[in-house]
Amino acid sequence: MTAGFRVSLVDFVNAWPLTWGFLRGAVEGSDRITDVPSACADRLARGEVDAGLVPSIEAARIPGVRIVRGVGIASKERVRSVILASRRPLGEARTVALDASSRSSAAMARVLFKDLLGTAPEFHVAVPDLGEMLAHHDAALLLGDPALKANLAGLHVLDLAAGWRELTGLPFVFAVWAVRPSIAPEPFLWSREYAKTHMPEIVAVAAQRTGLEQSALHEYLDGDLHHDLESEDEKGLSEFYRRAHAHGLLPSPDTPPFVGVPLVPRREL
């Protein structure tokens, strides 16, 4: 049993199916801090927290952490909330503004430009404001709530999960729970199970925050995204680490160790 642990988590709509139990105080013994994804990783790396919902690439950069098996933020076909947008075809982009709040998406953007589009633009970290980003750069990477609410009319758009699927045929895992060895996996699984029983509440609050229709948010949270990870997701994660290492974005291609029970393959009915 894990008791008295500190956890850094993301308060984006796309994370609520993992974090709702923590946000609503249903996970006992946890002291939570809300951050953007990059800050979750930084706190965990500095030892300020015992666990964090971190960009998947950061789980491979922080020494000594383990990944909670079976839960995360992932997409098989499209994600909608992690996008590249440009006023010109993306293959013609010479400079790209990267949303400062994440790192996995920024790393995948670099991989997709090189491996899918065959280009190597310059990348610059920026505040996630689409208008400002495109005023100074050819293309922009947005994620989370700003991406969901962005006006994309007239722009060339690449959904990063769709691009990754085209490149590899695999799902992409955007974020994982990374924990110190002393932290058990159960609280993170409990938070996920709590969210499953409170999805109508999550969708209603998400509609208030984003201004989007509840039907669209339900499709997004329980269709475009999935939060229960399987063996194909772990293959996608492993392939991401391999490509990130090949591009000099990780010191090693190895996947960090998992904590939790082994995955049981889903049987086809």
Side-chain angles (χ1 to χ4, degrees):
M1 181 72 68
T2 297
F5 68 100
R6 298 161 298 168
V7 57
S8 176
L9 51 85
V10 182
D11 192 19
F12 284 168
V13 167
N14 61 18
W16 286 353
L18 294 180
T19 62
W20 205 245
F22 289 103
L23 292 170
R24 287 297 187 261
V27 181
E28 295 182 359
S30 63
D31 181 12
R32 63 172 173 81
I33 301 170
T34 57
D35 286 307
V36 296
S38 56
C40 291
D42 290 342
R43 286 190 189 275
L44 184 59
R46 292 193 299 261
E48 297 174 7
V49 295
D50 305 298
L53 184 61
V54 304
S56 56
I57 198 166
E58 292 299 314
R61 289 173 172 163
I62 303 172
V65 300
R66 303 181 295 177
I67 295 174
V68 176
R69 174 165 257 156
V71 288
I73 303 175
S75 176
K76 291 183 172 68
E77 300 288 347
R78 66 168 186 169
V79 63
R80 291 175 56 193
S81 58
V82 186
I83 57 171
L84 282 164
S86 175
R87 292 195 177 95
R88 62 174 68 189
L90 282 160
E92 299 175 7
R94 294 165 296 180
T95 63
V96 181
L98 300 175
D99 187 328
S101 64
S102 184
R103 292 171 184 162
S104 287
S105 301
M108 183 166 59
R110 293 173 185 269
V111 170
L112 290 178
F113 269 104
K114 184 68 173 179
D115 294 356
L116 181 65
L117 301 175
T119 63
E122 294 180 3
F123 296 94
H124 304 270
V125 176
V127 174
D129 181 308
L130 184 60
E132 280 297 307
M133 294 164 103
L134 292 181
H136 301 284
H137 301 283
D138 297 328
L141 170 70
L142 280 181
L143 66 146
D145 296 351
L148 284 177
K149 295 185 286 186
N151 180 1
L152 303 174
L155 298 178
H156 297 269
V157 178
L158 175 64
D159 182 298
L160 265 65
W164 179 255
R165 187 78 184 189
E166 181 181 348
L167 179 64
T168 68
L170 293 167
F172 190 79
V173 180
F174 290 92
V176 295
W177 284 115
V179 302
R180 295 294 178 188
S182 60
I183 304 301
E186 284 82 3
F188 309 95
L189 304 177
W190 293 337
S191 184
R192 169 64 179 138
E193 290 304 310
Y194 180 87
K196 287 181 181 179
T197 64
H198 290 77
M199 281 305 295
E201 176 190 356
I202 290 174
V203 169
V205 177
Q208 293 175 0
R209 172 180 284 195
T210 64
L212 299 175
E213 295 291 334
Q214 290 196 25
S215 58
L217 284 163
H218 181 78
E219 180 184 358
Y220 167 63
L221 290 171
D222 202 25
D224 298 321
L225 294 177
H226 61 278
H227 298 81
D228 297 313
L229 306 190
E230 300 181 335
S231 58
E232 280 296 294
D233 298 294
E234 292 190 3
K235 290 178 183 177
L237 190 61
S238 177
E239 177 65 10
F240 176 49
Y241 290 152
R242 186 190 72 78
R243 287 180 183 266
H245 172 67
H247 286 274
L249 303 173
L250 283 177
S252 167
D254 298 334
T255 301
F258 290 99
V259 58
V261 298
L263 293 178
V264 177
R266 178 178 292 173
R267 293 192 304 170
E268 298 295 334
L269 298 179

Coordinates of all heavy atoms in Angstrom, one line a residue, residues 75-151:
S75 N -3.6 7.2 -28.4 CA -4.6 7.3 -29.6 C -4.2 6.3 -30.6 O -3.0 6.2 -30.9 CB -4.6 8.7 -30.1 OG -5.4 8.8 -31.3
K76 N -5.2 5.7 -31.2 CA -4.9 4.7 -32.3 C -4.9 5.3 -33.7 O -4.1 5.0 -34.5 CB -5.9 3.6 -32.3 CG -5.8 2.6 -31.1 CD -6.9 1.5 -31.2 CE -6.6 0.5 -30.1 NZ -7.0 1.0 -28.7
E77 N -5.8 6.3 -33.9 CA -6.0 6.8 -35.3 C -5.8 8.3 -35.4 O -5.1 8.8 -36.2 CB -7.4 6.4 -35.8 CG -7.7 4.9 -35.9 CD -6.9 4.3 -37.0 OE1 -6.4 5.0 -37.9 OE2 -6.9 3.0 -37.0
R78 N -6.5 9.0 -34.5 CA -6.4 10.5 -34.4 C -6.6 10.9 -33.0 O -7.2 10.3 -32.2 CB -7.4 11.2 -35.3 CG -8.8 11.0 -34.9 CD -9.8 11.9 -35.6 NE -11.1 11.8 -35.0 CZ -12.1 12.7 -35.3 NH1 -11.9 13.6 -36.2 NH2 -13.3 12.5 -34.8
V79 N -6.0 12.1 -32.7 CA -6.1 12.5 -31.3 C -6.8 13.9 -31.2 O -7.4 14.1 -30.1 CB -4.6 12.7 -30.7 CG1 -3.8 13.7 -31.4 CG2 -4.7 13.0 -29.2
R80 N -6.8 14.7 -32.2 CA -7.5 16.0 -32.3 C -6.9 17.1 -31.4 O -7.1 18.2 -31.7 CB -9.0 15.8 -31.9 CG -9.8 15.0 -33.0 CD -11.2 14.7 -32.6 NE -11.9 16.0 -32.2 CZ -13.1 16.0 -31.6 NH1 -13.6 14.8 -31.2 NH2 -13.7 17.1 -31.3
S81 N -6.3 16.7 -30.3 CA -5.8 17.7 -29.3 C -4.3 17.8 -29.4 O -3.7 18.5 -28.5 CB -6.2 17.4 -27.9 OG -5.8 16.1 -27.5
V82 N -3.7 17.2 -30.4 CA -2.2 17.4 -30.6 C -2.0 17.5 -32.1 O -2.1 16.6 -32.8 CB -1.4 16.2 -30.1 CG1 0.1 16.5 -30.2 CG2 -1.7 15.9 -28.6
I83 N -1.8 18.8 -32.5 CA -1.9 19.1 -34.0 C -0.7 20.0 -34.4 O -0.2 20.8 -33.6 CB -3.2 19.7 -34.4 CG1 -3.4 21.0 -33.5 CG2 -4.4 18.8 -34.2 CD1 -4.5 21.9 -34.0
L84 N -0.3 19.8 -35.7 CA 0.5 20.7 -36.3 C -0.3 21.5 -37.3 O -1.1 20.9 -38.1 CB 1.6 20.0 -37.1 CG 2.8 19.5 -36.3 CD1 3.6 18.5 -37.1 CD2 3.7 20.7 -35.9
A85 N -0.2 22.8 -37.3 CA -1.0 23.7 -38.2 C -0.1 24.7 -38.9 O 0.8 25.2 -38.3 CB -2.1 24.4 -37.4
S86 N -0.5 24.9 -40.2 CA 0.4 25.8 -41.0 C -0.5 26.5 -42.0 O -1.5 25.9 -42.5 CB 1.5 25.0 -41.6 OG 2.2 25.8 -42.5
R87 N -0.1 27.7 -42.4 CA -0.7 28.4 -43.6 C -0.2 27.9 -44.9 O -0.8 28.2 -45.9 CB -0.5 29.9 -43.4 CG -1.2 30.5 -42.2 CD -1.2 32.1 -42.4 NE -2.0 32.6 -41.3 CZ -1.4 33.1 -40.2 NH1 -0.1 33.1 -40.0 NH2 -2.1 33.6 -39.2
R88 N 0.8 27.1 -44.9 CA 1.3 26.5 -46.1 C 1.4 25.0 -45.9 O 1.3 24.5 -44.8 CB 2.7 27.1 -46.5 CG 3.8 26.7 -45.4 CD 5.2 27.2 -45.9 NE 5.3 28.6 -46.0 CZ 6.3 29.2 -46.5 NH1 7.3 28.5 -47.0 NH2 6.4 30.6 -46.5
P89 N 1.6 24.2 -47.0 CA 1.7 22.8 -46.8 C 2.8 22.5 -45.8 O 3.9 23.1 -45.9 CB 2.0 22.3 -48.2 CG 1.4 23.2 -49.1 CD 1.5 24.6 -48.4
L90 N 2.6 21.6 -44.9 CA 3.6 21.3 -43.8 C 5.0 20.9 -44.3 O 6.0 21.3 -43.7 CB 3.1 20.3 -42.8 CG 2.0 20.8 -41.9 CD1 1.2 19.7 -41.3 CD2 2.7 21.6 -40.8
G91 N 5.0 20.2 -45.5 CA 6.3 19.9 -46.0 C 7.1 21.0 -46.5 O 8.3 20.9 -46.7
E92 N 6.5 22.2 -46.6 CA 7.2 23.4 -47.0 C 7.6 24.3 -45.8 O 8.3 25.3 -46.0 CB 6.3 24.2 -48.0 CG 6.0 23.5 -49.2 CD 5.0 24.3 -50.1 OE1 4.7 25.5 -49.8 OE2 4.5 23.7 -51.1
A93 N 7.2 23.9 -44.6 CA 7.5 24.7 -43.5 C 9.0 24.8 -43.2 O 9.7 23.7 -43.2 CB 6.8 24.2 -42.2
R94 N 9.5 26.0 -43.0 CA 11.0 26.1 -42.6 C 11.2 26.4 -41.2 O 12.3 26.1 -40.6 CB 11.5 27.3 -43.4 CG 11.6 27.1 -45.0 CD 11.8 28.3 -45.7 NE 10.7 29.3 -45.5 CZ 10.6 30.5 -46.1 NH1 11.6 30.9 -46.9 NH2 9.5 31.3 -45.9
T95 N 10.2 26.9 -40.5 CA 10.3 27.1 -39.0 C 9.0 26.6 -38.4 O 7.9 26.8 -38.9 CB 10.6 28.6 -38.6 OG1 9.4 29.4 -39.0 CG2 11.8 29.1 -39.3
V96 N 9.2 26.0 -37.2 CA 8.0 25.5 -36.5 C 8.1 25.9 -35.0 O 9.1 25.8 -34.3 CB 8.0 23.9 -36.5 CG1 6.8 23.4 -35.8 CG2 8.1 23.4 -37.9
A97 N 6.9 26.5 -34.5 CA 6.8 26.9 -33.1 C 6.2 25.7 -32.4 O 5.2 25.1 -32.7 CB 5.9 28.1 -33.0
L98 N 6.9 25.3 -31.3 CA 6.5 24.2 -30.5 C 5.9 24.6 -29.2 O 6.5 25.4 -28.5 CB 7.7 23.3 -30.2 CG 8.5 22.7 -31.4 CD1 9.7 21.9 -30.9 CD2 7.6 21.8 -32.2
D99 N 4.7 24.2 -28.9 CA 4.0 24.5 -27.6 C 5.0 24.1 -26.5 O 5.4 23.0 -26.4 CB 2.7 23.6 -27.5 CG 1.9 24.0 -26.4 OD1 2.4 24.3 -25.3 OD2 0.6 23.9 -26.5
A100 N 5.2 25.1 -25.6 CA 6.2 24.9 -24.5 C 5.7 23.9 -23.4 O 6.5 23.5 -22.6 CB 6.5 26.2 -23.9
S101 N 4.4 23.5 -23.4 CA 3.9 22.8 -22.3 C 4.1 21.3 -22.4 O 3.9 20.6 -21.4 CB 2.4 23.1 -22.2 OG 1.7 22.6 -23.3
S102 N 4.6 20.8 -23.5 CA 4.8 19.3 -23.7 C 6.2 19.0 -24.3 O 6.8 19.9 -24.9 CB 3.7 18.7 -24.5 OG 3.9 17.3 -24.5
R103 N 6.5 17.8 -24.2 CA 7.8 17.4 -24.8 C 7.7 16.1 -25.7 O 8.4 16.0 -26.6 CB 8.8 17.1 -23.7 CG 9.2 18.4 -23.0 CD 10.0 18.3 -21.7 NE 10.2 19.6 -21.1 CZ 10.6 19.7 -19.9 NH1 10.8 18.7 -19.1 NH2 10.8 20.9 -19.4
S104 N 6.8 15.2 -25.3 CA 6.6 14.1 -26.2 C 6.1 14.5 -27.6 O 6.5 14.0 -28.6 CB 5.6 13.1 -25.6 OG 6.2 12.4 -24.5
S105 N 5.1 15.4 -27.6 CA 4.5 15.9 -28.8 C 5.6 16.7 -29.6 O 5.7 16.6 -30.8 CB 3.3 16.8 -28.5 OG 2.3 16.1 -27.8
A106 N 6.4 17.4 -28.9 CA 7.5 18.2 -29.6 C 8.5 17.2 -30.2 O 8.9 17.4 -31.4 CB 8.2 19.1 -28.6
A107 N 8.8 16.1 -29.5 CA 9.7 15.1 -30.0 C 9.1 14.4 -31.2 O 9.8 14.1 -32.2 CB 10.1 14.1 -28.9
M108 N 7.8 14.0 -31.1 CA 7.2 13.3 -32.2 C 7.1 14.3 -33.4 O 7.2 13.8 -34.5 CB 5.8 12.8 -31.8 CG 5.2 12.0 -33.0 SD 3.8 11.0 -32.7 CE 2.6 12.1 -32.1
A109 N 6.8 15.6 -33.2 CA 6.8 16.5 -34.3 C 8.1 16.5 -35.1 O 8.2 16.4 -36.3 CB 6.5 17.9 -33.8
R110 N 9.2 16.4 -34.3 CA 10.5 16.4 -35.0 C 10.7 15.1 -35.8 O 11.2 15.1 -36.9 CB 11.6 16.5 -33.9 CG 11.7 17.8 -33.2 CD 12.7 17.8 -32.1 NE 12.7 19.0 -31.3 CZ 13.5 20.1 -31.6 NH1 14.4 20.0 -32.6 NH2 13.5 21.1 -30.8
V111 N 10.3 14.0 -35.2 CA 10.3 12.7 -35.9 C 9.5 12.7 -37.1 O 9.9 12.2 -38.2 CB 9.9 11.5 -34.9 CG1 9.8 10.2 -35.7 CG2 10.9 11.4 -33.8
L112 N 8.3 13.2 -37.0 CA 7.4 13.2 -38.2 C 7.9 14.1 -39.3 O 7.7 13.7 -40.5 CB 6.0 13.6 -37.8 CG 5.2 12.6 -36.9 CD1 3.8 13.2 -36.5 CD2 5.0 11.2 -37.6
F113 N 8.4 15.2 -39.0 CA 8.9 16.1 -40.1 C 10.1 15.3 -40.8 O 10.1 15.4 -42.0 CB 9.4 17.4 -39.5 CG 8.4 18.5 -39.5 CD1 7.8 18.9 -38.3 CD2 8.1 19.2 -40.7 CE1 6.8 19.9 -38.3 CE2 7.1 20.2 -40.7 CZ 6.5 20.5 -39.5
K114 N 10.9 14.7 -40.1 CA 12.0 14.0 -40.7 C 11.6 12.7 -41.4 O 11.9 12.5 -42.6 CB 13.1 13.7 -39.7 CG 14.4 13.1 -40.2 CD 15.2 14.1 -41.1 CE 16.5 13.6 -41.5 NZ 17.3 14.5 -42.4
D115 N 10.9 11.8 -40.7 CA 10.7 10.5 -41.2 C 9.4 10.4 -42.0 O 9.3 9.5 -42.9 CB 10.5 9.5 -40.0 CG 11.8 9.4 -39.2 OD1 12.8 9.9 -39.6 OD2 11.8 8.7 -38.1
L116 N 8.4 11.2 -41.8 CA 7.2 11.2 -42.6 C 7.2 12.2 -43.8 O 6.9 11.9 -44.9 CB 6.0 11.4 -41.7 CG 4.6 11.3 -42.4 CD1 4.3 9.9 -43.0 CD2 3.5 11.8 -41.5
L117 N 7.6 13.4 -43.4 CA 7.5 14.5 -44.4 C 8.9 14.7 -45.2 O 8.9 15.4 -46.2 CB 7.1 15.8 -43.8 CG 5.8 15.8 -43.1 CD1 5.5 17.1 -42.4 CD2 4.6 15.6 -44.1
G118 N 9.9 14.1 -44.6 CA 11.2 14.2 -45.3 C 11.9 15.6 -45.2 O 12.6 15.9 -46.1
T119 N 11.6 16.4 -44.2 CA 12.1 17.7 -44.1 C 12.8 17.9 -42.7 O 12.5 17.1 -41.8 CB 11.1 18.8 -44.3 OG1 10.1 18.7 -43.3 CG2 10.4 18.6 -45.7
A120 N 13.5 19.0 -42.6 CA 14.2 19.3 -41.3 C 14.1 20.8 -41.0 O 15.1 21.5 -41.1 CB 15.7 18.8 -41.3
P121 N 12.9 21.3 -40.6 CA 12.8 22.7 -40.3 C 13.5 23.1 -39.0 O 13.9 22.2 -38.2 CB 11.3 22.9 -40.2 CG 10.8 21.5 -39.8 CD 11.7 20.5 -40.4
E122 N 13.6 24.4 -38.7 CA 14.0 24.8 -37.4 C 12.9 24.8 -36.5 O 11.7 25.1 -36.8 CB 14.6 26.3 -37.6 CG 15.8 26.4 -38.4 CD 16.3 27.8 -38.5 OE1 15.7 28.7 -37.8 OE2 17.3 28.1 -39.2
F123 N 13.2 24.5 -35.2 CA 12.1 24.4 -34.2 C 12.4 25.4 -33.1 O 13.6 25.6 -32.7 CB 12.1 23.0 -33.6 CG 11.7 21.9 -34.5 CD1 12.7 21.2 -35.2 CD2 10.4 21.6 -34.8 CE1 12.3 20.2 -36.1 CE2 10.0 20.7 -35.7 CZ 11.0 19.9 -36.4
H124 N 11.3 26.1 -32.6 CA 11.4 27.1 -31.6 C 10.3 26.9 -30.6 O 9.2 26.8 -31.0 CB 11.3 28.5 -32.2 CG 12.3 28.8 -33.3 ND1 13.6 29.3 -33.1 CD2 12.3 28.5 -34.7 CE1 14.3 29.4 -34.2 NE2 13.5 28.9 -35.2
V125 N 10.7 27.0 -29.3 CA 9.7 26.8 -28.3 C 8.9 28.1 -28.1 O 9.5 29.2 -28.2 CB 10.4 26.5 -26.9 CG1 9.3 26.4 -25.8 CG2 11.1 25.1 -27.0
A126 N 7.6 28.0 -27.9 CA 6.7 29.2 -27.9 C 5.6 29.0 -26.9 O 5.2 27.9 -26.6 CB 6.2 29.5 -29.3
V127 N 5.0 30.1 -26.5 CA 3.8 30.1 -25.8 C 2.6 29.6 -26.7 O 2.6 30.0 -27.8 CB 3.4 31.5 -25.2 CG1 2.1 31.6 -24.5 CG2 4.5 32.0 -24.3
P128 N 1.7 28.8 -26.2 CA 0.7 28.2 -27.0 C -0.4 29.2 -27.4 O -1.5 29.1 -26.9 CB 0.2 27.0 -26.2 CG 0.4 27.4 -24.8 CD 1.7 28.2 -24.8
D129 N -0.1 30.1 -28.3 CA -1.1 31.0 -28.9 C -0.9 30.9 -30.4 O 0.0 31.3 -31.0 CB -0.8 32.4 -28.4 CG -1.8 33.4 -29.0 OD1 -2.0 33.5 -30.2 OD2 -2.3 34.2 -28.2
L130 N -1.9 30.3 -31.0 CA -1.8 29.9 -32.5 C -1.5 31.1 -33.3 O -0.7 31.1 -34.2 CB -3.1 29.2 -32.9 CG -3.0 28.7 -34.4 CD1 -1.9 27.7 -34.6 CD2 -4.4 28.0 -34.7
G131 N -2.3 32.2 -33.1 CA -2.1 33.4 -33.9 C -0.7 34.0 -33.8 O -0.1 34.3 -34.8
E132 N -0.2 34.1 -32.6 CA 1.2 34.6 -32.4 C 2.2 33.6 -32.9 O 3.2 34.0 -33.5 CB 1.4 34.8 -30.9 CG 0.9 36.1 -30.3 CD 1.5 37.3 -31.0 OE1 2.7 37.4 -31.0 OE2 0.8 38.1 -31.5
M133 N 2.0 32.3 -32.8 CA 2.9 31.3 -33.3 C 3.1 31.4 -34.8 O 4.2 31.5 -35.4 CB 2.5 29.9 -32.9 CG 2.6 29.6 -31.4 SD 1.6 28.2 -30.9 CE 2.9 27.0 -30.7
L134 N 1.9 31.5 -35.5 CA 1.9 31.6 -37.0 C 2.3 33.0 -37.5 O 2.7 33.1 -38.6 CB 0.6 31.2 -37.5 CG 0.2 29.7 -37.3 CD1 -1.1 29.4 -37.9 CD2 1.3 28.8 -37.9
A135 N 2.3 34.0 -36.6 CA 2.8 35.3 -37.0 C 4.3 35.3 -37.2 O 4.8 36.1 -37.9 CB 2.3 36.3 -36.0
H136 N 5.0 34.4 -36.5 CA 6.4 34.4 -36.5 C 7.0 33.2 -37.1 O 8.3 33.1 -37.3 CB 6.9 34.6 -35.0 CG 6.5 35.8 -34.4 ND1 7.0 37.1 -34.6 CD2 5.5 36.0 -33.4 CE1 6.4 38.0 -33.9 NE2 5.5 37.4 -33.2
H137 N 6.2 32.1 -37.3 CA 6.8 30.9 -37.8 C 5.8 30.3 -38.9 O 4.6 30.6 -38.9 CB 7.0 29.9 -36.7 CG 7.9 30.3 -35.6 ND1 9.3 30.3 -35.8 CD2 7.7 30.9 -34.4 CE1 9.8 30.8 -34.7 NE2 8.9 31.2 -33.9
D138 N 6.3 29.4 -39.7 CA 5.5 28.8 -40.7 C 4.5 27.8 -40.2 O 3.4 27.6 -40.8 CB 6.4 28.0 -41.7 CG 7.4 29.0 -42.4 OD1 7.0 30.2 -42.7 OD2 8.5 28.6 -42.8
A139 N 4.8 27.1 -39.1 CA 3.9 26.1 -38.6 C 3.9 26.1 -37.1 O 4.9 26.7 -36.5 CB 4.3 24.7 -39.1
A140 N 2.9 25.5 -36.5 CA 2.8 25.6 -35.0 C 2.3 24.2 -34.5 O 1.4 23.6 -35.1 CB 1.8 26.7 -34.6
L141 N 2.9 23.8 -33.4 CA 2.4 22.6 -32.6 C 1.6 23.1 -31.4 O 2.1 23.8 -30.6 CB 3.6 21.8 -32.2 CG 3.3 20.6 -31.2 CD1 2.5 19.5 -31.9 CD2 4.5 20.1 -30.6
L142 N 0.3 22.6 -31.4 CA -0.5 22.9 -30.2 C -1.0 21.6 -29.6 O -1.2 20.6 -30.3 CB -1.8 23.7 -30.7 CG -1.7 25.2 -30.9 CD1 -3.0 25.7 -31.3 CD2 -1.2 25.9 -29.6
L143 N -1.2 21.6 -28.3 CA -1.8 20.4 -27.7 C -2.7 20.8 -26.5 O -2.8 21.9 -26.1 CB -0.6 19.5 -27.1 CG 0.2 20.1 -26.0 CD1 0.7 19.0 -25.1 CD2 1.4 20.8 -26.6
G144 N -3.5 19.8 -26.1 CA -4.4 19.9 -25.0 C -5.5 20.8 -25.3 O -6.0 20.9 -26.4
D145 N -6.0 21.5 -24.3 CA -7.2 22.4 -24.4 C -7.0 23.5 -25.5 O -7.9 23.8 -26.2 CB -7.6 23.0 -23.1 CG -8.0 21.9 -22.0 OD1 -8.1 20.8 -22.4 OD2 -8.1 22.3 -20.9
P146 N -5.8 24.1 -25.6 CA -5.7 25.1 -26.6 C -5.9 24.6 -28.0 O -6.4 25.2 -28.9 CB -4.2 25.6 -26.4 CG -4.0 25.4 -25.0 CD -4.7 24.1 -24.7
A147 N -5.5 23.3 -28.3 CA -5.6 22.7 -29.6 C -7.1 22.4 -29.8 O -7.6 22.6 -31.0 CB -4.8 21.4 -29.7
L148 N -7.8 21.9 -28.8 CA -9.3 21.6 -29.0 C -10.1 22.9 -29.3 O -11.0 22.8 -30.1 CB -9.8 21.0 -27.7 CG -9.5 19.6 -27.4 CD1 -10.0 19.2 -26.1 CD2 -10.0 18.6 -28.5
K149 N -9.7 24.0 -28.8 CA -10.4 25.3 -29.0 C -9.9 26.1 -30.1 O -10.5 27.2 -30.4 CB -10.4 26.1 -27.7 CG -11.1 25.4 -26.5 CD -11.1 26.2 -25.3 CE -9.8 26.3 -24.6 NZ -9.9 27.1 -23.3
A150 N -8.9 25.7 -30.8 CA -8.2 26.6 -31.8 C -9.1 26.6 -33.1 O -9.8 25.7 -33.5 CB -6.9 26.0 -32.2
N151 N -9.1 27.8 -33.7 CA -9.8 28.0 -35.0 C -8.8 27.6 -36.1 O -7.8 28.3 -36.4 CB -10.2 29.4 -35.2 CG -11.0 29.7 -36.5 OD1 -11.2 28.8 -37.3 ND2 -11.4 30.9 -36.7

